[in-house]
Amino acid sequence: MQAEPKNAQAGKAEDAPSSDTSLIGREYEVEVGPVAHGGHCIARTDEGQVLFVRHTLPGEKVIARVTEGEEGARFLRADAVSVLESSKDRVEAPCPYAGPGRCGGCDWQHAKPGAQRRLKGEVIAEQLQRLAGLTPEEAGWDGTVMPAEGDKLPAGEVPSWRTRVQYAVDADGNAGLRRHRSHEVEPIDHCMIAAEGVSELGIERRDWSGMASIEAIAASGSQDRQVILAPKPGARLPIVELDKPVSVMRVGEKDGGTHRVHGRPFVRERADGRTYRVGSGGFWQVHPKAAETLMLAVMQGLTPRKGDTALDLYCGVGLFAGALADRVGDKGAVLGIESGKRAVEDARHNLASFDRVRIEQGKVESVLPRTGITEADLIVLDPPRAGAGKQTVRHLSGLGARRIAYVACDPAALARDLGYFREGGYRVRTLRAFDLFPMTHHVECVAILEPAEKGR
């Protein structure tokens, strides 16, 4: 990366906003400190102001150019535009669209794969300590972040794992990806982390004038392919001719819902020996190995028994509810709760063969109290990125579950909720972390909790 000469007076760039206090464009020579949650590292200016710097690694010396912030702000955001002293963990980014001001989809293209997992582990450990007061040992975690099967590749190679890709469309009709924290589009010829089933559609090779976005989906459990088109206001839908057969959906201009144009309105996925129908808007893990990996981690942690009663909260299309139902048997019972209408329809379809499974629609914090359930043997919760929250955790802590499995895609939300569970009398028995989003800062965790009085 080449930088403009550093301004000795730390002046503003010519294209920076006219505000007297804006620091956008100002450059600082800094020594980079530890990794922080969000795909950046921490540095400080000579004046002590915190910089969140992307495209760098701990221990490096870089020229950091401010991308957001002003004088007196609590922190500034910046890009490392020139590396003066590099880390041994640095590699040349394999993707030609990675780097300052370019595509925002990946955070760690410039880091060796092992270093990426180590950085994610450091973030998890920091969040656990800061928000839950837990050391890795107290969380039953060995500190490692495990790669998915097939993802352990040499430095410079990128796993093609993303089975759902949301493309934006620029003013010229080119498909691309959003730049970091921006609505601007980076046109691309190929996304390196896109799964083969997405890449083979050839989305980037055609004109998408009139479209605001295109979502491409390639199921990993079948040959199903789907594109979801979101037209700009008043635009007509194009005739979709891609390199492979696909079903086509469109986002309604008035209702925002997803409507079938032709083909199946769902894709079929596989996990735990079962096929799951996943409609547009229904949640399924993006990495092809994620659903099976997380399902096994949850079942191994919970050790369901015949006759158990179980809750699957934020259940999506029923992945964990199905695995639980298989294991608790005819005398057990499973209740799933999910807010998405289409996901609930899919879950009920997917689990129709189980007489003792019930799926309720609505927000967990509203539906669960209305069920009248006062106890459960096992609980699984896989909340959205914001976490479950204090009210829901307090309610769950009062149900007397033998074990609780918490699946989390955000370590900060996980740590906060683990703190609430501790207040409710639960402790973490084990924690496992999985690198199911290579090249990005995201990481998936599975925490198994049990009543604190049980001891280890």
Side-chain angles (χ1 to χ4, degrees):
M1 294 179 286
Q2 298 298 316
E4 300 169 5
K6 187 185 176 190
N7 189 328
Q9 300 300 315
K12 294 179 291 184
E14 291 182 3
D15 60 351
S18 59
S19 167
D20 290 339
T21 62
S22 174
L23 294 178
I24 295 175
R26 185 173 292 188
E27 295 181 356
Y28 298 92
E29 182 178 310
V30 295
E31 293 186 0
V32 180
V35 64
H37 184 29
H40 45 246
C41 297
I42 298 174
R44 289 184 181 272
T45 67
D46 290 340
E47 296 78 25
Q49 197 165 17
V50 172
L51 285 171
F52 288 151
V53 189
R54 283 173 58 81
H55 310 292
T56 189
L57 293 168
E60 293 187 327
K61 182 179 286 188
V62 303
I63 302 295
R65 183 182 296 157
V66 177
T67 57
E68 292 181 42
E70 57 187 26
E71 292 179 4
R74 192 161 56 91
F75 62 85
L76 308 173
R77 296 186 185 275
D79 283 340
V81 293
S82 182
V83 180
L84 307 178
E85 296 178 11
S86 65
S87 165
K88 62 179 176 59
D89 290 323
R90 176 175 285 277
V91 295
E92 188 71 29
C95 177
Y97 306 106
R102 305 295 300 277
C103 173
C106 292
D107 306 293
W108 300 119
Q109 287 268 350
H110 59 284
K112 294 177 181 177
Q116 293 181 36
R117 293 189 289 272
R118 189 169 64 251
L119 291 170
K120 294 181 186 190
E122 290 173 10
V123 168
I124 296 169
E126 191 271 338
Q127 297 296 312
L128 287 173
Q129 182 62 60
R130 186 169 66 87
L131 298 175
L134 292 172
T135 65
E137 293 75 19
E138 290 169 332
W141 176 45
D142 64 5
T144 62
V145 177
M146 297 298 297
E149 180 186 343
D151 278 359
K152 200 166 184 179
L153 299 175
E157 294 188 29
V158 176
S160 301
W161 58 270
R162 195 170 185 89
T163 59
R164 293 176 178 236
V165 177
Q166 181 88 34
Y167 297 90
V169 180
D170 69 11
D172 297 321
N174 299 309
L177 301 171
R178 299 282 185 193
R179 291 171 182 155
H180 181 61
R181 294 177 61 85
S182 172
H183 292 294
E184 294 183 4
V185 179
E186 178 79 19
I188 64 171
D189 294 324
H190 171 64
C191 175
M192 294 187 75
I193 65 172
E196 182 180 353
V198 170
S199 296
E200 67 185 10
L201 295 177
I203 298 288
E204 303 94 335
R205 294 189 290 274
R206 65 157 295 160
D207 183 359
W208 295 102
S209 296
M211 298 299 102
S213 67
I214 308 106
E215 183 176 8
I217 302 168
S220 55
S222 67
Q223 292 300 307
D224 294 345
R225 306 288 182 266
Q226 186 180 84
V227 294
I228 304 173
L229 305 179
K232 294 176 181 176
R236 296 182 62 182
L237 218 61
I239 296 174
V240 178
E241 295 179 345
L242 296 174
D243 296 345
K244 295 288 182 179
V246 295
S247 60
V248 179
M249 308 288 288
R250 70 165 291 164
V251 177
E253 186 175 328
K254 293 183 179 180
D255 63 3
T258 306
H259 307 278
R260 188 177 74 89
V261 177
H262 69 75
R264 291 192 185 97
F266 57 85
V267 297
R268 293 163 297 177
E269 297 284 4
R270 293 279 295 174
D272 199 29
R274 178 174 298 277
T275 296
Y276 288 85
R277 186 181 82 181
V278 185
S280 303
F283 174 78
W284 191 261
Q285 290 285 343
V286 177
H287 193 293
K289 301 291 185 182
E292 192 80 17
T293 297
L294 296 174
M295 181 279 303
L296 286 173
V298 167
M299 293 304 118
Q300 289 166 359
L302 291 181
T303 59
R305 303 168 184 166
K306 297 294 184 182
D308 276 344
T309 58
L311 301 178
D312 180 9
L313 309 180
Y314 317 93
C315 71
V317 301
L319 170 65
F320 298 120
L324 285 165
D326 269 334
R327 290 159 176 80
V328 301
D330 295 339
K331 294 184 179 180
V334 181
L335 171 66
I337 301 177
E338 165 60 39
S339 62
K341 181 179 179 181
R342 181 56 197 263
V344 167
E345 292 173 358
D346 287 338
R348 288 171 176 165
H349 170 86
N350 295 332
L351 305 177
S353 62
F354 295 107
D355 294 334
R356 301 274 287 169
V357 173
R358 188 169 97 247
I359 308 295
E360 297 286 348
Q361 184 189 347
K363 294 185 176 180
V364 169
E365 62 267 27
S366 301
V367 174
L368 186 57
R370 293 203 304 264
T371 63
I373 291 174
T374 58
E375 59 183 20
D377 296 308
L378 303 172
I379 299 171
V380 181
L381 63 158
D382 185 4
R385 194 168 301 281
K390 191 169 188 176
Q391 176 186 342
T392 297
V393 170
R394 182 178 295 166
H395 190 141
L396 298 179
S397 299
L399 297 180
R402 182 174 76 247
R403 286 192 182 170
I404 298 173
Y406 190 128
V407 183
C409 59
D410 184 274
L414 170 65
R416 281 193 298 269
D417 284 347
L418 291 183
Y420 299 145
F421 271 114
R422 184 171 56 190
E423 293 172 6
Y426 277 80
R427 67 171 188 86
V428 186
R429 175 184 173 87
T430 61
L431 187 145
R432 298 171 69 184
F434 302 95
D435 188 16
L436 301 178
F437 306 88
M439 303 292 154
T440 79
H441 75 272
H442 300 291
V443 62
E444 203 83 25
C445 295
V446 175
I448 304 298
L449 299 95
E450 65 182 10
E453 65 270 16
K454 286 191 68 172
R456 290 199 181 277

